[in-house]
Amino acid sequence: MIEFSGISKRLGKFELKDLSFQIAEGEICGLVGRNGAGKTTLLNLLLGLIRPDEGTITIDGMEYREEEKKIRALLGCVLVDELFLPGAGLSENASYFGSTYDAFELSRFEGLLQEFRLDPAKKFRALSKGEKLKCQFAFALAVKPKYLLLDEPTANFDPDFRDHFWEHMKRFTAGGGSVLLATHLTDDLDRMADSLIFLDKGKSIFTGDMESFRDTYRIVSGEKYLVKMIDEQYRIGMEEAKYSTRALIAHHRRIRYPEGLELSPVSIEEFMYLYSKGGEKK
Amino acid sequence: MSGNVFREYRMNRSSLRNKDGKADPRFLSMAPAICPLMALNHGKLDAWILLFVLPLFFVWISAIMHPFRLTKMHYLCPMTAEERIERIVSVYRFRCVFHYLVLTLCLLPVFLFRGMHPLALLYIMISNFLYVCVANPGRCEGKAGWYVFLIIACFVGSVVMFCMPADGIYSRTETIISICFYSLLLLMIPAFLILRKAMREEIEAAAYYEEESRS
């Protein structure tokens, strides 16, 4: 299990504040938020690239300070940065970096490359952005990690490969692995994620499973005056249009929704959009 | 992985271009240093100077291409900080030995066939050693002045010594020049020691991924 407890980190003017969450085994956890919300900082903390100012990060009960090597052997990652050496071939890169992992198998990596239609002899620098991510994804799977940490990989995948990607994710989590996926493409998360972390300006707005996310928030739409009849403390963000007004509501059984309002479950994208229409003031 | 130093050296090669696609300024700085030397010696020392200067240029480029820093992936792989330091140090040592061998092997035919004063050869051997050790010392914050001094002193001193007559019959001017340059060597050693300390700190810092601040 991955556990963040009371994590704070300051980087220049940016600060990640008091972040606590858990990622259980066999779970896909979505990490969402606008640009600059702190997603990459959170991933860097989890990858042990930066250390928190306050709080503790434990991975299977281990901390980076004491068990760095053991923790890293449990992690596979795909980051926006190009991680492989540009002048070396894909297999050459993989066998070079893979030699630090006990579980790495070159044949598995090459098998995945074949599946992803990549030439193992090709130089890393000769690949397109999407191909580079596919290659790094293949490596992340080939080291047989327990946790996969993925930073925006799907944005550069073609639609055909995206299905492939999710197939691998399903297989990976079925085997007991966990995934933390930072992305702006939230449609897939709506379908596939088991839990969600939503960050805004370094603060955690929501952390929990998708069921409680759908239970906690609702979208109401209808006449503006009807929407405004809902107590302001429950209205997180509102979008006014000429004929209809929509609002993100922190649902509570005490709320009496006026008749004439349409109530619908919230998607991650709608949540993010409507939150940006007023949530930050709350 | 740590056993295969050559592979490590070969794989950990950075580009001579930075992220914007522009050439490394250190790479460019060597060209104007070489051109006047070549022009000045044109017709006097013929091709031998090439065998002396071009290896220095090669070492300079090769050192720029093999910095102390590891790539981000090295910090994500299962290694301890000590193992990362071990890797950096072994590659650095390999780099120094390899570069020194290149310089010495190129100097050998010059010494055998063109001839060189033994004291000049000694100077050049010492100077080459200092040069290969500090050719790319990392950032070495606050020590840039020492670095520039040492590189220029190594380069200019060696070239002047190279031009000394091989027969050992020194004119007074040549004797004065020799004394000046051996004195310079005495200044170069403390500069080297200062840079060596800074390089050690740089290697220790490279064991951990460098935090980037965001504005």
Side-chain angles (χ1 to χ4, degrees):
Chain A
M1 179 188 276
I2 293 175
E3 196 169 357
F4 264 51
S5 101
I7 294 295
S8 294
K9 177 72 186 174
R10 179 174 277 280
L11 286 170
K13 286 178 191 166
F14 175 81
E15 191 181 9
L16 202 63
K17 287 166 229 151
D18 196 23
L19 193 61
S20 298
F21 65 85
Q22 292 179 341
I23 302 173
E25 279 160 28
E27 190 175 285
I28 296 177
C29 177
L31 175 59
V32 294
R34 283 182 289 179
N35 292 333
K39 300 190 294 291
T40 303
T41 305
L42 188 150
L43 278 171
N44 283 344
L45 282 162
L46 195 44
L47 287 165
L49 293 175
I50 53 174
R51 300 287 152 99
D53 298 333
E54 278 173 50
T56 50
I57 300 166
T58 53
I59 297 170
D60 282 2
M62 298 180 285
E63 284 186 48
Y64 273 105
R65 239 174 315 152
E66 291 134 17
E67 304 279 6
E68 182 182 352
K69 193 172 173 175
K70 280 187 191 167
I71 292 175
R72 293 198 186 286
L74 298 174
L75 306 178
C77 62
V78 179
L79 304 182
V80 181
D81 300 313
E82 292 170 10
L83 297 175
F84 273 8
L85 303 168
L90 307 189
S91 285
E92 202 181 1
N93 258 304
S95 63
Y96 173 65
F97 289 116
S99 62
T100 55
Y101 292 86
D102 292 335
F104 173 75
E105 281 172 23
L106 186 63
S107 57
R108 183 172 154 78
F109 173 75
E110 288 180 337
L112 286 163
L113 287 188
Q114 203 173 11
E115 191 186 324
F116 300 166
R117 291 178 200 155
L118 293 173
D119 176 7
K122 211 168 178 180
K123 290 232 175 1
F124 187 68
R125 76 156 78 91
L127 302 181
S128 70
K129 183 126 184 128
E131 286 176 327
K132 281 174 182 168
L133 288 168
K134 281 181 194 174
C135 171
Q136 284 171 189
F137 180 54
F139 182 75
L141 290 174
V143 300
K144 293 186 184 160
K146 191 171 174 191
Y147 302 103
L148 265 179
L149 310 175
L150 313 170
D151 191 6
E152 305 276 1
T154 47
N156 289 288
F157 290 160
D158 47 78
D160 181 36
F161 186 76
R162 220 182 292 167
D163 292 339
H164 231 70
F165 168 80
W166 283 110
E167 270 307 306
H168 275 286
M169 289 297 97
K170 267 193 244 171
R171 244 179 284 162
F172 180 73
T173 49
S178 309
V179 179
L180 178 65
L181 173 63
T183 184
H184 286 294
L185 300 175
T186 54
D187 291 354
D188 293 335
L189 284 183
D190 274 318
R191 283 189 299 120
M192 308 296 290
D194 301 298
S195 62
L196 185 73
I197 300 167
F198 177 66
L199 297 178
D200 187 60
K201 293 176 187 164
K203 274 198 303 186
S204 153
I205 305 302
F206 178 85
T207 53
D209 58 74
M210 286 302 287
E211 212 169 304
S212 61
F213 173 72
R214 288 177 193 123
D215 279 349
T216 309
Y217 301 103
R218 293 279 191 284
I219 298 282
V220 291
S221 49
E223 298 262 5
K224 186 177 166 185
Y225 78 96
L226 288 175
V227 174
K228 286 207 165 174
M229 281 169 71
I230 298 169
D231 193 341
E232 204 180 348
Q233 66 168 313
Y234 299 114
R235 269 188 277 130
I236 295 172
M238 200 162 84
E239 184 190 40
E240 293 175 33
K242 200 172 178 184
Y243 299 109
S244 173
T245 295
R246 288 194 318 148
L248 174 68
I249 303 294
H251 178 66
H252 196 281
R253 56 196 158 86
R254 274 193 305 217
I255 302 176
R256 295 180 65 92
Y257 294 101
E259 263 186 54
L261 279 182
E262 199 181 314
L263 204 65
S264 56
V266 65
S267 68
I268 298 170
E269 192 173 340
E270 282 173 316
F271 177 84
M272 286 173 70
Y273 178 69
L274 287 170
Y275 182 84
S276 71
K277 297 278 176 188
E280 56 262 69
K281 288 181 212 141
K282 305 233 167 191
Chain B
M1 190 136 108
S2 59
N4 198 342
V5 185
F6 177 66
R7 183 196 195 192
E8 195 77 37
Y9 176 79
R10 194 173 54 85
M11 296 286 283
N12 281 302
R13 203 174 56 223
S14 67
S15 173
L16 284 174
R17 291 180 184 279
N18 60 23
K19 280 180 184 170
D20 306 323
K22 289 176 185 161
D24 190 308
R26 291 171 300 175
F27 166 64
L28 295 174
S29 67
M30 205 62 177
I34 287 176
C35 295
L37 284 167
M38 307 285 267
L40 276 173
N41 288 289
H42 175 70
K44 269 199 275 177
L45 294 165
D46 50 65
W48 291 112
I49 192 93
L50 287 176
L51 211 52
F52 176 67
V53 173
L54 291 181
L56 286 177
F57 192 40
F58 161 77
V59 166
W60 180 258
I61 294 171
S62 174
I64 292 171
M65 288 173 78
H66 296 94
F68 290 143
R69 286 264 146 206
L70 296 170
T71 65
K72 189 171 186 175
M73 190 65 180
H74 284 101
Y75 298 95
L76 296 169
C77 289
M79 281 190 281
T80 60
E82 291 74 28
E83 283 170 337
R84 282 193 286 268
I85 288 179
E86 199 182 300
R87 257 163 188 260
I88 297 167
V89 171
S90 59
V91 171
Y92 170 69
R93 284 187 183 144
F94 179 84
R95 182 183 98 185
C96 291
V97 170
F98 172 59
H99 289 170
Y100 195 68
L101 268 175
V102 168
L103 293 181
T104 309
L105 286 176
C106 291
L107 203 59
L108 207 64
V110 180
F111 182 68
L112 292 175
F113 302 113
R114 171 195 169 263
M116 196 186 282
H117 193 282
L119 281 177
L121 181 70
L122 178 69
Y123 181 96
I124 291 169
M125 297 286 275
I126 296 169
S127 173
N128 281 352
F129 173 75
L130 302 181
Y131 181 73
V132 298
C133 290
V134 301
N136 184 7
R139 283 164 304 181
C140 286
E141 277 159 15
K143 309 284 187 295
W146 288 107
Y147 171 62
V148 172
F149 160 73
L150 191 53
I151 292 296
I152 292 174
C154 283
F155 201 77
V156 174
S158 295
V159 170
V160 171
M161 285 297 183
F162 185 87
C163 300
M164 286 287 198
D167 54 14
I169 306 163
Y170 277 49
S171 70
R172 185 180 289 172
T173 314
E174 283 160 351
T175 311
I176 292 167
I177 289 171
S178 294
I179 291 167
C180 286
F181 278 97
Y182 279 105
S183 311
L184 185 66
L185 198 59
L186 289 178
L187 275 175
M188 283 156 70
I189 288 166
F192 169 72
L193 293 175
I194 289 166
L195 284 172
R196 193 167 151 250
K197 188 169 174 266
M199 283 195 292
R200 197 172 283 170
E201 285 163 11
E202 181 93 5
I203 289 170
E204 277 165 20
Y208 302 95
Y209 185 72
E210 193 175 289
E211 290 187 23
E212 285 169 40
S213 68
R214 38 196 299 181
S215 51

